Amino acid sequence: MAKTSEPTIIKKYANRRLYNTGTSTYVTLEDLAVMVKGEEDFVVYDAKSGDDITRSVLTQIIFEQEAKGTNLLPVSFLRQLIGFYGDSMQGLVPSYLEYSMTSLTKEQEKLRAQMTDAFGATAFDAIEDQVKRNTEMFERAMKMFMPFPTGEGAAAVAPGSEKKTAQPEASDLDDMKRQLEEMQKTISKLTDKP
């Protein structure tokens, strides 16, 4: 279906069936995933109540993809994300994640093209390595937002010293800055090649 300025309306019925009003056909979660990948905008409404349930349907699509073995979200990231629910940082997380994903998406196509030009068929291995490094850096950045330590170090914090743990250690920040500079240098080198 051609892209329009208005999002396609999908209605979800009580029998869990999804109806695409743009094509007048029933669709599946897989069909909606294809629409997302094709950058076709849609909104999902509960047919009975009229409530916007787009967020829960998109979450279902992610769940389905993860259940198929297409594991994109590391377990540690999911645990950290769950930890932010009800936390004082909860309001910051959505905008931070949206900004991060927007930046990654903008750079993705440039990086793919440069890697393919530079390395040919092995470019995707290099991209996978870069994604792993980005994920590790992202997880470290998310840990900086954690107000209290978790895991092994949590029991070692003395009462009254919680304020110190809310701030990231200088060495962690320096390490992240160094890694970010290395990534920027690598990207710059790739963009400078004819």
Side-chain angles (χ1 to χ4, degrees):
M1 183 174 179
K3 294 180 190 175
T4 63
S5 60
E6 294 295 317
T8 302
I9 296 175
I10 308 293
K11 292 184 179 181
K12 185 173 183 180
Y13 290 94
N15 63 1
R16 304 172 100 197
R17 292 190 76 184
L18 299 162
Y19 184 76
N20 183 333
T21 61
T23 60
S24 300
T25 59
Y26 285 99
V27 293
T28 63
L29 290 176
E30 187 65 36
D31 295 327
L32 295 182
V34 170
M35 290 172 69
V36 169
K37 290 176 184 177
E39 298 180 7
E40 185 176 341
D41 194 17
F42 61 86
V43 181
V44 183
Y45 293 107
D46 183 282
K48 186 175 181 180
S49 68
D51 293 340
D52 183 343
I53 58 170
T54 307
R55 180 183 311 271
S56 66
V57 171
L58 291 173
T59 305
Q60 278 182 289
I61 292 170
I62 292 170
F63 177 77
E64 291 287 326
Q65 294 297 316
E66 290 285 322
K68 289 180 182 177
T70 310
N71 298 321
L72 185 64
L73 303 172
V75 172
S76 60
F77 171 78
L78 293 171
R79 290 180 194 277
Q80 290 171 344
L81 193 59
I82 291 167
F84 280 112
Y85 283 95
D87 186 84
S88 62
M89 299 300 287
Q90 181 175 339
L92 176 68
V93 173
S95 58
Y96 179 79
L97 291 175
E98 186 173 13
Y99 174 77
S100 298
M101 290 304 293
T102 301
S103 297
L104 178 63
T105 302
K106 285 179 183 176
E107 295 301 318
Q108 174 182 341
E109 287 306 315
K110 284 192 245 177
L111 186 60
R112 277 187 201 216
Q114 292 164 354
M115 296 298 259
T116 301
D117 290 345
F119 302 110
T122 62
F124 292 106
D125 294 335
I127 289 173
E128 186 176 323
D129 290 341
Q130 185 65 43
V131 168
K132 286 178 184 176
R133 286 193 299 272
N134 290 349
T135 302
E136 290 168 0
M137 186 177 76
F138 179 74
E139 288 174 355
R140 283 193 299 274
M142 291 299 287
K143 286 178 184 176
M144 289 189 330
F145 290 111
M146 296 295 250
F148 300 105
T150 58
E152 297 172 9
V157 176
S161 65
E162 292 84 8
K163 290 184 180 178
K164 292 180 184 174
T165 60
Q167 297 295 323
E169 291 184 24
S171 63
D172 289 342
L173 281 175
D174 292 339
D175 187 43
M176 287 180 57
K177 287 178 185 177
R178 183 187 53 74
Q179 288 181 354
L180 184 58
E181 287 172 6
E182 288 174 6
M183 287 177 23
Q184 289 172 336
K185 287 177 186 175
T186 303
I187 291 173
S188 294
K189 286 179 186 175
L190 291 172
T191 58
D192 291 342
K193 289 192 176 187

